[in-house]
């Protein structure tokens, strides 16, 4: 299927349903929600999911878990092919009630691609039913990776964070933000941590990291990205990247990084 409206899947009498979509570069899905929980996986391209609570970016070896009922918008970075599965509450298990990014193993990737070809009302006792059960089992064991950016609910601070995420730089200082919000530095730091659960420096670094991922996936050079984000050199950027994700940025320029850093 190529229609982005998933409402037709809500009434299918199966605990797990799947579908594939193809989107052009820079396509955006307006804010919407599904009754079922959704695992959104892009086998090609990168997806950026935004909710009232934060932003999550998933390159091809990652997927975003979106709990049922969560309002979310999706922005495509590059041309995107998605393979989504929608899960009823009875099979969600430990996936939880908060969005998160999951690592997609080669096995889970193959299962998600295969599941998209399964008929809506498949035989639960047949091969298709076994396939869907295995999809759920592999999703349940997929590890979470730190690719989230919490967004504040405080209106003025939220707007300031959104502007920063459009063009993040590691050189922006906390004093400038406090001045923008007409706050003393100490009051600003307390507000920022209360609203995001992170220090300003941690949040700024995470914003730069998430901004870099789709650019790496698009083939941009590490040096160009590092300098654009305000790092003094590609080495300093790579050190931050490896510390945060356990691998150098060059590993995110191909769909399947090798196991060793």
């Amino acid at each position: 299927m190529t229609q982005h409206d998933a409402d037709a899947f809500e009434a299918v009498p199966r605990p797990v349903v799947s579908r594939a979509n193809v989107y052009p570069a820079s396509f955006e899905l307006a804010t919407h929600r599904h009754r079922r929980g959704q695992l959104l996986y892009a086998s090609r391209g990168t997806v950026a999911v935004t909710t009232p609570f934060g932003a999550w970016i998933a390159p091809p070896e990652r997927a975003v878990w979106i709990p049922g009922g969560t309002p979310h918008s999706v922005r495509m970075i590059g041309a995107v092919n998605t393979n989504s599965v929608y899960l009823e509450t009875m099979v969600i298990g430990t996936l939880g009630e908060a969005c998160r990014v999951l690592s997609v193993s080669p096995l889970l990737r193959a299962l998600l691609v295969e599941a998209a070809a399964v008929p809506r009302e498949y035989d639960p006792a047949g091969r298709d039913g076994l396939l869907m059960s295995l999809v759920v089992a592999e999703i349940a064991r997929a590890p979470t990776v730190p690719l989230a950016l919490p967004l504040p609910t405080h209106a003025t601070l939220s707007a300031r964070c959104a502007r920063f995420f459009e063009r993040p730089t590691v050189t922006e200082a906390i004093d400038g933000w406090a001045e923008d919000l007409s706050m003393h530095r100490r009051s600003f730091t307390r507000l920022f941590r209360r609203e995001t659960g992170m220090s300003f420096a941690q949040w700024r670094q995470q914003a730069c990291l998430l901004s870099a991922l789709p650019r790496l996936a698009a083939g941009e050079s590490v040096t160009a990205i590092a300098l654009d984000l305000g790092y003094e050199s590609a080495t300093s950027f790579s050190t931050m990247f490896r510390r945060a994700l356990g691998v150098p940025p060059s590993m995110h320029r191909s769909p399947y990084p090798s196991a060793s850093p």
Side-chain angles (χ1 to χ4, degrees):
M1 293 194 49
T2 57
Q3 298 298 316
H4 64 262
D5 182 8
D7 291 342
F9 286 82
E10 301 286 21
V12 175
R14 297 293 183 272
V16 185
V17 291
S18 179
R19 62 192 291 246
N21 283 319
V22 178
Y23 298 103
S26 303
F27 188 85
E28 294 192 24
L29 293 174
T31 300
H32 61 288
R33 67 182 77 196
H34 313 294
R35 181 180 59 79
R36 297 175 184 243
Q38 177 189 9
L39 185 79
L40 174 61
Y41 169 66
S43 57
R44 175 192 179 205
T46 296
V47 292
V49 176
T50 302
T51 78
F53 314 106
W56 292 262
I57 291 182
E61 72 279 5
R62 305 287 186 252
V64 183
W65 167 245
I66 307 168
T70 303
H72 62 282
S73 61
V74 184
R75 178 167 55 92
M76 314 302 162
I77 302 171
V80 172
N81 293 5
T82 63
N83 296 87
S84 291
V85 289
Y86 301 85
L87 283 64
E88 291 283 14
T89 303
M90 67 183 75
V91 296
I92 286 176
T94 60
L95 287 171
E97 295 301 319
C99 289
R100 54 194 176 110
V101 176
L102 302 178
S103 179
V104 176
S105 67
L107 174 57
L108 180 54
R109 179 185 189 277
L111 290 169
L112 290 170
V113 172
E114 186 70 17
V118 171
R120 289 190 195 179
E121 297 193 25
Y122 54 85
D123 178 4
R127 183 260 186 190
D128 290 338
L130 292 173
L131 173 64
M132 290 305 200
S133 295
L134 185 53
V135 167
V136 173
E138 286 300 304
I139 293 173
R141 67 189 297 272
T144 300
V145 290
L147 293 176
L149 187 70
L151 296 178
T153 57
H154 184 283
T156 307
L157 181 57
S158 178
R160 184 66 182 85
C161 287
R163 290 201 308 274
F164 177 80
F165 191 52
E166 290 176 359
R167 190 169 178 80
T169 171
V170 75
T171 59
E172 282 209 17
I174 194 170
D175 291 324
W177 282 54
E179 183 178 345
D180 287 347
L181 270 68
S182 302
M183 299 179 69
H184 293 295
R185 178 188 175 100
R186 182 174 297 178
S187 297
F188 174 82
T189 57
R190 285 199 299 263
L191 171 67
F192 198 93
R193 184 174 288 279
R194 184 172 68 247
E195 288 284 320
T196 67
M198 306 171 75
S199 70
F200 175 78
Q202 290 170 329
W203 189 93
R204 181 185 61 192
Q205 177 180 289
Q206 188 75 343
C208 290
L209 177 66
L210 294 190
S211 173
L213 284 172
R215 298 176 64 181
L216 289 167
E220 292 190 45
S221 75
V222 174
T223 299
I225 295 170
L227 297 179
D228 195 37
L229 292 174
Y231 287 87
E232 294 182 356
S233 66
T235 300
S236 58
F237 169 72
S238 296
T239 299
M240 177 280 294
F241 195 101
R242 185 189 289 270
R243 186 182 300 119
L245 296 182
V247 295
S250 58
M251 301 287 277
H252 279 263
R253 299 187 71 192
S254 74
Y256 291 105
S258 62
S260 60

